[in-house]
Amino acid sequence: ARADKTLFSFEILPPKKGQSIDGIFQTVEALLPFNPSFIDVTYHATQVIEKQNTDGSFIKVPVHKRPGTLSVCAAIKYKYGIDTVPHLICSGFSRDETEDALVELSFLGIDNVMALRGDPVGGDSKFTPASGGHSYAIDLIRQVSDLNQGKWLHHEIGETEPTDFCIGAAGYPEKHSESPNISTDMDHLKAKIDAGAGFIVTQMFFDNEAYFRFVDACRAAGITVPIIPGIKPLATRGQVTVLPKTFAISLPEELTRAAMATENKPDLRKVGIDWSVRQCAELIANDAPCLHFYTMSRSKAVKQIAATFFGN
Ligand code: FAD
Protein backbone atom coordinates (compact mmCIF):
# COMPACT_ATOMS: atom_id res chain seq x y z
CA ALA A 1 0.00 0.00 0.00
CA ARG A 2 2.94 2.34 0.68
CA ALA A 3 4.86 1.57 -2.55
CA ASP A 4 5.43 4.54 -4.85
CA LYS A 5 6.05 2.38 -7.91
CA THR A 6 4.74 -0.89 -9.32
CA LEU A 7 6.25 -3.87 -7.48
CA PHE A 8 7.06 -7.40 -8.66
CA SER A 9 5.84 -10.63 -7.02
CA PHE A 10 5.08 -14.18 -8.03
CA GLU A 11 3.29 -17.36 -7.05
CA ILE A 12 4.81 -20.83 -6.89
CA LEU A 13 3.46 -24.31 -6.17
CA PRO A 14 5.02 -26.61 -3.57
CA PRO A 15 6.85 -29.52 -5.26
CA LYS A 16 4.93 -32.70 -6.03
CA LYS A 17 5.25 -35.19 -3.19
CA GLY A 18 8.51 -37.11 -3.62
CA GLN A 19 10.36 -34.24 -5.33
CA SER A 20 12.98 -32.14 -3.55
CA ILE A 21 12.72 -28.43 -2.83
CA ASP A 22 15.69 -27.69 -5.12
CA GLY A 23 13.45 -26.89 -8.10
CA ILE A 24 11.72 -24.22 -5.98
CA PHE A 25 15.06 -22.67 -5.05
CA GLN A 26 16.05 -22.62 -8.74
CA THR A 27 12.81 -20.79 -9.65
CA VAL A 28 13.29 -18.28 -6.83
CA GLU A 29 16.96 -17.71 -7.69
CA ALA A 30 16.13 -17.12 -11.36
CA LEU A 31 13.71 -14.35 -10.32
CA LEU A 32 15.70 -12.87 -7.42
CA PRO A 33 17.44 -10.23 -9.60
CA PHE A 34 14.04 -8.56 -10.11
CA ASN A 35 13.68 -7.90 -6.40
CA PRO A 36 10.39 -9.67 -5.62
CA SER A 37 8.43 -7.97 -2.85
CA PHE A 38 6.79 -11.22 -1.85
CA ILE A 39 6.31 -14.79 -3.02
CA ASP A 40 3.00 -16.64 -2.69
CA VAL A 41 2.94 -20.40 -2.15
CA THR A 42 -0.27 -22.22 -3.08
CA TYR A 43 -2.06 -24.79 -0.92
CA HIS A 44 -3.43 -27.95 -2.48
CA ALA A 45 -6.40 -29.75 -0.94
CA THR A 46 -6.25 -33.48 -0.38
CA GLN A 47 -7.92 -35.26 -3.29
CA VAL A 48 -9.68 -38.61 -3.04
CA ILE A 49 -8.64 -41.02 -5.79
CA GLU A 50 -9.89 -44.53 -6.58
CA LYS A 51 -7.29 -47.32 -6.46
CA GLN A 52 -7.79 -50.89 -7.59
CA ASN A 53 -6.95 -53.71 -5.16
CA THR A 54 -5.32 -56.93 -6.36
CA ASP A 55 -8.73 -58.65 -6.07
CA GLY A 56 -10.18 -56.15 -8.56
CA SER A 57 -12.20 -54.16 -6.01
CA PHE A 58 -11.77 -50.40 -5.69
CA ILE A 59 -10.97 -48.33 -2.64
CA LYS A 60 -10.95 -44.58 -2.17
CA VAL A 61 -7.62 -43.20 -1.01
CA PRO A 62 -6.93 -39.63 0.16
CA VAL A 63 -3.88 -38.24 -1.65
CA HIS A 64 -2.09 -35.00 -0.83
CA LYS A 65 -0.15 -34.39 -4.03
CA ARG A 66 1.65 -31.20 -3.08
CA PRO A 67 2.14 -30.90 0.69
CA GLY A 68 4.70 -28.50 2.18
CA THR A 69 3.21 -25.00 1.69
CA LEU A 70 4.26 -23.88 5.13
CA SER A 71 7.81 -25.23 5.01
CA VAL A 72 8.40 -23.89 1.48
CA CYS A 73 7.37 -20.45 2.82
CA ALA A 74 9.70 -20.73 5.82
CA ALA A 75 12.60 -22.05 3.70
CA ILE A 76 12.33 -19.16 1.20
CA LYS A 77 11.87 -16.55 3.90
CA TYR A 78 14.97 -17.60 5.82
CA LYS A 79 17.18 -18.55 2.85
CA TYR A 80 16.55 -15.39 0.82
CA GLY A 81 15.02 -12.91 3.27
CA ILE A 82 11.90 -12.42 1.14
CA ASP A 83 8.38 -12.15 2.56
CA THR A 84 6.32 -15.20 1.76
CA VAL A 85 2.54 -15.52 1.62
CA PRO A 86 1.20 -19.00 2.30
CA HIS A 87 -2.21 -19.74 0.86
CA LEU A 88 -4.61 -21.01 3.50
CA ILE A 89 -7.80 -22.68 2.36
CA CYS A 90 -11.06 -23.66 4.04
CA SER A 91 -11.19 -27.10 2.34
CA GLY A 92 -10.25 -29.93 4.65
CA PHE A 93 -9.61 -27.83 7.75
CA SER A 94 -11.68 -27.51 10.92
CA ARG A 95 -11.50 -24.17 12.74
CA ASP A 96 -9.18 -25.71 15.35
CA GLU A 97 -6.82 -27.07 12.68
CA THR A 98 -6.80 -23.65 11.02
CA GLU A 99 -5.93 -22.03 14.33
CA ASP A 100 -3.08 -24.51 14.81
CA ALA A 101 -1.74 -23.73 11.30
CA LEU A 102 -1.81 -20.03 12.16
CA VAL A 103 0.15 -20.74 15.35
CA GLU A 104 2.82 -22.51 13.26
CA LEU A 105 2.97 -19.54 10.89
CA SER A 106 3.27 -16.95 13.62
CA PHE A 107 6.04 -18.93 15.40
CA LEU A 108 7.89 -19.05 12.07
CA GLY A 109 7.65 -15.28 11.74
CA ILE A 110 5.36 -15.54 8.71
CA ASP A 111 2.80 -12.79 9.09
CA ASN A 112 1.01 -12.83 5.72
CA VAL A 113 -1.71 -15.21 4.61
CA MET A 114 -3.81 -15.44 1.49
CA ALA A 115 -7.22 -16.60 2.79
CA LEU A 116 -9.16 -18.69 0.26
CA ARG A 117 -12.08 -21.05 0.22
CA GLY A 118 -10.66 -23.64 -2.20
CA ASP A 119 -12.48 -25.34 -5.05
CA PRO A 120 -14.94 -28.22 -4.77
CA VAL A 121 -12.98 -31.50 -4.67
CA GLY A 122 -13.51 -34.91 -6.22
CA GLY A 123 -15.48 -33.67 -9.22
CA ASP A 124 -18.24 -32.22 -6.98
CA SER A 125 -20.00 -29.16 -8.34
CA LYS A 126 -20.56 -27.74 -4.86
CA PHE A 127 -18.00 -26.88 -2.18
CA THR A 128 -18.32 -28.96 0.98
CA PRO A 129 -16.67 -27.62 4.12
CA ALA A 130 -14.76 -29.93 6.49
CA SER A 131 -16.56 -30.89 9.68
CA GLY A 132 -16.19 -27.84 11.93
CA GLY A 133 -14.66 -25.90 9.04
CA HIS A 134 -15.52 -22.78 7.08
CA SER A 135 -17.92 -22.54 4.14
CA TYR A 136 -16.56 -19.32 2.62
CA ALA A 137 -13.28 -17.43 2.58
CA ILE A 138 -14.90 -14.64 4.60
CA ASP A 139 -15.28 -17.02 7.57
CA LEU A 140 -11.56 -17.80 7.39
CA ILE A 141 -10.74 -14.09 7.12
CA ARG A 142 -12.89 -13.46 10.21
CA GLN A 143 -11.02 -16.18 12.11
CA VAL A 144 -7.62 -14.65 11.25
CA SER A 145 -8.94 -11.15 12.07
CA ASP A 146 -10.20 -12.45 15.41
CA LEU A 147 -6.73 -13.78 16.20
CA ASN A 148 -5.31 -10.38 15.27
CA GLN A 149 -7.56 -9.01 18.02
CA GLY A 150 -6.48 -11.69 20.50
CA LYS A 151 -9.70 -13.71 20.13
CA TRP A 152 -8.68 -17.38 20.14
CA LEU A 153 -11.18 -20.21 19.83
CA HIS A 154 -11.37 -21.62 23.34
CA HIS A 155 -9.87 -18.85 25.44
CA GLU A 156 -11.08 -15.72 27.15
CA ILE A 157 -9.80 -12.44 25.72
CA GLY A 158 -6.91 -11.32 27.89
CA GLU A 159 -5.55 -14.85 28.40
CA THR A 160 -3.99 -14.79 24.93
CA GLU A 161 -1.89 -12.51 22.74
CA PRO A 162 -3.01 -11.05 19.41
CA THR A 163 -1.33 -12.11 16.16
CA ASP A 164 -0.37 -9.67 13.42
CA PHE A 165 -1.35 -11.24 10.11
CA CYS A 166 -1.78 -9.25 6.92
CA ILE A 167 -4.62 -11.00 5.09
CA GLY A 168 -5.08 -11.28 1.34
CA ALA A 169 -8.30 -12.18 -0.49
CA ALA A 170 -9.00 -13.40 -4.01
CA GLY A 171 -10.82 -11.19 -6.53
CA TYR A 172 -12.24 -12.08 -9.93
CA PRO A 173 -12.21 -9.41 -12.67
CA GLU A 174 -14.40 -11.68 -14.80
CA LYS A 175 -16.56 -12.87 -11.85
CA HIS A 176 -16.21 -16.07 -9.84
CA SER A 177 -17.71 -19.06 -11.65
CA GLU A 178 -20.32 -19.73 -8.95
CA SER A 179 -21.57 -16.15 -8.67
CA PRO A 180 -24.84 -15.36 -10.42
CA ASN A 181 -23.58 -11.91 -11.46
CA ILE A 182 -20.78 -9.37 -11.02
CA SER A 183 -22.60 -7.26 -8.46
CA THR A 184 -23.29 -10.21 -6.12
CA ASP A 185 -19.64 -11.22 -6.43
CA MET A 186 -18.65 -7.62 -5.61
CA ASP A 187 -20.86 -7.61 -2.48
CA HIS A 188 -19.09 -10.76 -1.27
CA LEU A 189 -15.67 -9.27 -2.03
CA LYS A 190 -16.53 -6.06 -0.15
CA ALA A 191 -17.62 -8.21 2.82
CA LYS A 192 -14.20 -9.95 2.78
CA ILE A 193 -12.45 -6.58 2.93
CA ASP A 194 -14.75 -5.34 5.70
CA ALA A 195 -13.96 -8.56 7.60
CA GLY A 196 -10.25 -7.67 7.61
CA ALA A 197 -8.57 -8.50 4.29
CA GLY A 198 -5.90 -5.90 3.54
CA PHE A 199 -5.21 -6.63 -0.12
CA ILE A 200 -6.73 -8.38 -3.13
CA VAL A 201 -4.91 -10.56 -5.65
CA THR A 202 -6.87 -11.13 -8.83
CA GLN A 203 -7.49 -14.24 -10.82
CA MET A 204 -5.42 -14.23 -14.02
CA PHE A 205 -6.83 -12.19 -16.88
CA PHE A 206 -5.63 -11.52 -20.42
CA ASP A 207 -7.64 -8.41 -21.22
CA ASN A 208 -6.56 -5.43 -19.11
CA GLU A 209 -9.96 -3.81 -19.62
CA ALA A 210 -11.42 -6.52 -17.35
CA TYR A 211 -8.97 -5.50 -14.60
CA PHE A 212 -9.54 -1.76 -15.06
CA ARG A 213 -13.33 -2.25 -14.93
CA PHE A 214 -12.94 -4.44 -11.85
CA VAL A 215 -10.78 -1.85 -10.04
CA ASP A 216 -13.33 0.89 -10.88
CA ALA A 217 -16.18 -1.30 -9.58
CA CYS A 218 -14.23 -2.08 -6.39
CA ARG A 219 -13.52 1.62 -5.77
CA ALA A 220 -17.18 2.45 -6.43
CA ALA A 221 -18.14 -0.21 -3.86
CA GLY A 222 -15.88 1.46 -1.28
CA ILE A 223 -12.98 -1.00 -1.49
CA THR A 224 -9.78 0.98 -0.99
CA VAL A 225 -7.14 -1.76 -0.48
CA PRO A 226 -4.44 -2.52 -3.12
CA ILE A 227 -5.77 -4.66 -5.98
CA ILE A 228 -2.88 -6.71 -7.37
CA PRO A 229 -3.31 -7.97 -10.93
CA GLY A 230 -2.47 -11.63 -11.62
CA ILE A 231 -0.52 -12.24 -14.85
CA LYS A 232 -0.02 -15.57 -16.58
CA PRO A 233 2.05 -15.81 -19.76
CA LEU A 234 0.45 -18.27 -22.15
CA ALA A 235 2.87 -21.22 -22.45
CA THR A 236 1.19 -23.91 -24.55
CA ARG A 237 -1.48 -24.13 -27.24
CA GLY A 238 -3.45 -26.40 -24.91
CA GLN A 239 -3.79 -23.53 -22.44
CA VAL A 240 -5.95 -21.66 -24.96
CA THR A 241 -8.77 -24.02 -24.02
CA VAL A 242 -7.62 -25.28 -20.62
CA LEU A 243 -7.20 -21.90 -18.88
CA PRO A 244 -10.72 -20.57 -19.66
CA LYS A 245 -12.24 -23.90 -18.59
CA THR A 246 -10.19 -24.26 -15.41
CA PHE A 247 -10.32 -20.67 -14.19
CA ALA A 248 -13.59 -19.37 -15.70
CA ILE A 249 -11.78 -16.62 -17.60
CA SER A 250 -11.81 -15.53 -21.23
CA LEU A 251 -9.03 -15.12 -23.77
CA PRO A 252 -9.19 -12.19 -26.21
CA GLU A 253 -9.78 -13.25 -29.81
CA GLU A 254 -6.56 -11.56 -30.94
CA LEU A 255 -4.49 -13.64 -28.52
CA THR A 256 -6.31 -16.87 -29.37
CA ARG A 257 -5.80 -16.28 -33.09
CA ALA A 258 -2.11 -15.49 -32.68
CA ALA A 259 -1.59 -18.56 -30.47
CA MET A 260 -3.42 -20.90 -32.83
CA ALA A 261 -1.39 -19.61 -35.80
CA THR A 262 1.90 -20.70 -34.22
CA GLU A 263 3.57 -23.86 -35.47
CA ASN A 264 5.87 -24.73 -32.61
CA LYS A 265 6.35 -24.25 -28.90
CA PRO A 266 9.00 -21.47 -29.05
CA ASP A 267 6.71 -19.39 -31.33
CA LEU A 268 3.78 -19.95 -29.00
CA ARG A 269 5.87 -18.96 -25.98
CA LYS A 270 6.89 -15.77 -27.81
CA VAL A 271 3.24 -14.91 -28.44
CA GLY A 272 2.52 -15.49 -24.73
CA ILE A 273 5.47 -13.40 -23.56
CA ASP A 274 4.78 -10.54 -25.99
CA TRP A 275 1.16 -10.42 -24.86
CA SER A 276 2.13 -10.34 -21.16
CA VAL A 277 4.72 -7.60 -21.85
CA ARG A 278 1.99 -5.47 -23.48
CA GLN A 279 -0.33 -6.15 -20.55
CA CYS A 280 2.37 -5.27 -18.00
CA ALA A 281 3.37 -2.04 -19.75
CA GLU A 282 -0.23 -0.84 -19.69
CA LEU A 283 -0.75 -1.93 -16.07
CA ILE A 284 2.39 -0.08 -14.96
CA ALA A 285 1.34 3.01 -16.92
CA ASN A 286 -1.94 2.87 -15.00
CA ASP A 287 -0.20 2.57 -11.60
CA ALA A 288 -0.99 -1.05 -10.76
CA PRO A 289 0.44 -1.57 -7.25
CA CYS A 290 2.29 -4.77 -8.15
CA LEU A 291 2.51 -7.25 -11.02
CA HIS A 292 1.91 -10.72 -9.62
CA PHE A 293 2.95 -13.61 -11.86
CA TYR A 294 1.50 -17.09 -11.88
CA THR A 295 4.73 -18.97 -12.58
CA MET A 296 3.30 -22.48 -12.18
CA SER A 297 6.84 -22.99 -10.78
CA ARG A 298 8.43 -22.26 -14.19
CA SER A 299 10.61 -19.19 -14.29
CA LYS A 300 11.79 -18.82 -17.92
CA ALA A 301 8.94 -16.75 -19.38
CA VAL A 302 8.41 -14.69 -16.22
CA LYS A 303 12.16 -13.98 -16.11
CA GLN A 304 12.04 -12.58 -19.63
CA ILE A 305 9.00 -10.41 -18.88
CA ALA A 306 10.34 -9.21 -15.51
CA ALA A 307 13.67 -8.26 -17.16
CA THR A 308 11.76 -5.77 -19.33
CA PHE A 309 10.32 -3.91 -16.35
CA PHE A 310 12.25 -4.77 -13.20
CA GLY A 311 15.83 -5.31 -14.49
CA ASN A 312 18.61 -2.86 -13.59
P1 FAD B 1 -15.10 -17.07 -1.61
O1 FAD B 1 -14.70 -15.66 -1.43
O2 FAD B 1 -15.65 -17.79 -0.42
O3 FAD B 1 -16.14 -17.12 -2.80
C1 FAD B 1 -16.59 -18.34 -3.35
C2 FAD B 1 -17.94 -18.13 -4.04
O4 FAD B 1 -18.95 -17.95 -3.03
C3 FAD B 1 -18.00 -16.86 -4.90
O5 FAD B 1 -18.87 -17.13 -5.98
C4 FAD B 1 -18.61 -15.82 -3.97
O6 FAD B 1 -19.27 -14.78 -4.67
C5 FAD B 1 -19.56 -16.67 -3.16
N1 FAD B 1 -19.77 -16.21 -1.79
C6 FAD B 1 -18.86 -15.65 -0.97
N2 FAD B 1 -19.40 -15.41 0.24
C7 FAD B 1 -20.68 -15.85 0.18
C8 FAD B 1 -21.75 -15.90 1.11
N3 FAD B 1 -21.61 -15.43 2.35
N4 FAD B 1 -22.93 -16.44 0.70
C9 FAD B 1 -23.09 -16.90 -0.58
N5 FAD B 1 -22.11 -16.88 -1.49
C10 FAD B 1 -20.92 -16.36 -1.11
N6 FAD B 1 -7.38 -22.60 -4.54
C11 FAD B 1 -6.68 -23.52 -3.83
O7 FAD B 1 -7.20 -24.60 -3.54
N7 FAD B 1 -5.41 -23.27 -3.40
C12 FAD B 1 -4.77 -22.09 -3.66
O8 FAD B 1 -3.62 -21.93 -3.26
C13 FAD B 1 -5.48 -21.10 -4.40
N8 FAD B 1 -4.92 -19.89 -4.67
C14 FAD B 1 -5.65 -18.93 -5.32
C15 FAD B 1 -5.10 -17.65 -5.51
C16 FAD B 1 -5.82 -16.66 -6.16
C17 FAD B 1 -5.22 -15.29 -6.35
C18 FAD B 1 -7.12 -16.94 -6.66
C19 FAD B 1 -7.88 -15.89 -7.40
C20 FAD B 1 -7.69 -18.19 -6.47
C21 FAD B 1 -6.97 -19.20 -5.80
N9 FAD B 1 -7.50 -20.46 -5.55
C22 FAD B 1 -6.80 -21.40 -4.84
C23 FAD B 1 -8.83 -20.81 -6.09
C24 FAD B 1 -9.95 -20.49 -5.12
O9 FAD B 1 -9.87 -21.33 -3.99
C25 FAD B 1 -11.27 -20.74 -5.87
O10 FAD B 1 -11.44 -19.77 -6.88
C26 FAD B 1 -12.50 -20.89 -5.03
O11 FAD B 1 -13.53 -21.44 -5.84
C27 FAD B 1 -13.04 -19.61 -4.43
O12 FAD B 1 -12.20 -19.12 -3.47
P2 FAD B 1 -12.48 -17.68 -2.78
O13 FAD B 1 -11.49 -17.52 -1.72
O14 FAD B 1 -12.59 -16.64 -3.82
O15 FAD B 1 -13.93 -17.99 -2.14
Side-chain angles (χ1 to χ4, degrees), residues 15-298:
K16 280 191 184 144
K17 196 186 257 184
Q19 291 180 352
S20 85
I21 196 168
D22 293 346
I24 295 285
F25 292 152
Q26 280 163 19
T27 302
V28 172
E29 282 166 24
L31 300 175
L32 271 185
F34 312 113
N35 199 16
S37 298
F38 59 91
I39 301 174
D40 276 41
V41 183
T42 54
Y43 190 91
H44 298 258
T46 299
Q47 304 285 331
V48 176
I49 59 159
E50 278 210 333
K51 274 190 119 180
Q52 196 166 20
N53 290 319
T54 44
D55 65 3
S57 62
F58 285 91
I59 47 162
K60 291 194 166 169
V61 190
V63 178
H64 200 180
K65 283 191 184 156
R66 290 180 185 270
T69 300
L70 199 153
S71 39
V72 168
C73 283
I76 293 173
K77 181 176 167 77
Y78 291 105
K79 192 171 164 74
Y80 303 106
I82 300 172
D83 263 352
T84 44
V85 186
H87 290 194
L88 211 59
I89 61 173
C90 303
S91 325
F93 286 90
S94 67
R95 287 169 173 74
D96 286 277
E97 287 163 340
T98 298
E99 192 174 84
D100 290 352
L102 290 159
V103 169
E104 304 282 352
L105 290 176
S106 68
F107 287 176
L108 284 165
I110 295 171
D111 47 14
N112 306 292
V113 286
M114 185 73 191
L116 302 146
R117 187 195 67 180
D119 282 320
V121 288
D124 289 355
S125 58
K126 203 170 163 283
F127 177 81
T128 310
S131 166
H134 299 302
S135 297
Y136 294 105
I138 188 172
D139 306 315
L140 176 55
I141 291 167
R142 284 197 184 111
Q143 182 174 8
V144 186
S145 291
D146 278 353
L147 285 195
N148 282 348
Q149 291 165 49
K151 291 186 209 158
W152 294 72
L153 284 178
H154 308 294
H155 293 85
E156 297 299 323
I157 294 181
E159 287 177 2
T160 51
E161 291 176 29
T163 55
D164 188 20
F165 286 107
C166 177
I167 311 166
Y172 301 84
E174 298 178 72
K175 178 183 98 53
H176 184 259
S177 60
E178 294 165 35
S179 265
N181 51 57
I182 285 184
S183 96
T184 310
D185 214 25
M186 186 55 67
D187 291 346
H188 292 142
L189 180 59
K190 172 75 163 60
K192 290 198 281 191
I193 305 306
D194 292 346
F199 66 101
I200 294 168
V201 180
T202 76
Q203 182 57 278
M204 65 180 75
F205 58 86
F206 291 86
D207 179 356
N208 283 352
E209 284 311 313
Y211 170 78
F212 295 138
R213 272 197 304 273
F214 176 69
V215 172
D216 286 348
C218 286
R219 301 305 180 221
I223 295 173
T224 56
V225 300
I227 302 172
I228 298 174
I231 311 292
K232 159 87 182 87
L234 203 63
T236 64
R237 271 171 74 127
Q239 287 179 351
V240 169
T241 44
V242 168
L243 295 178
K245 210 169 142 198
T246 310
F247 299 108
I249 53 154
S250 58
L251 254 56
E253 261 179 56
E254 187 189 340
L255 175 61
T256 310
R257 241 185 278 119
M260 296 319 275
T262 58
E263 286 175 3
N264 54 45
K265 210 164 170 201
D267 285 354
L268 183 284
R269 283 187 66 249
K270 186 173 179 321
V271 165
I273 290 169
D274 289 350
W275 188 272
S276 292
V277 165
R278 273 167 55 190
Q279 273 195 279
C280 292
E282 194 181 25
L283 289 165
I284 291 173
N286 283 275
D287 300 324
C290 182
L291 302 183
H292 186 68
F293 289 88
Y294 293 109
T295 66
M296 312 246 175
S297 294
R298 290 201 176 86

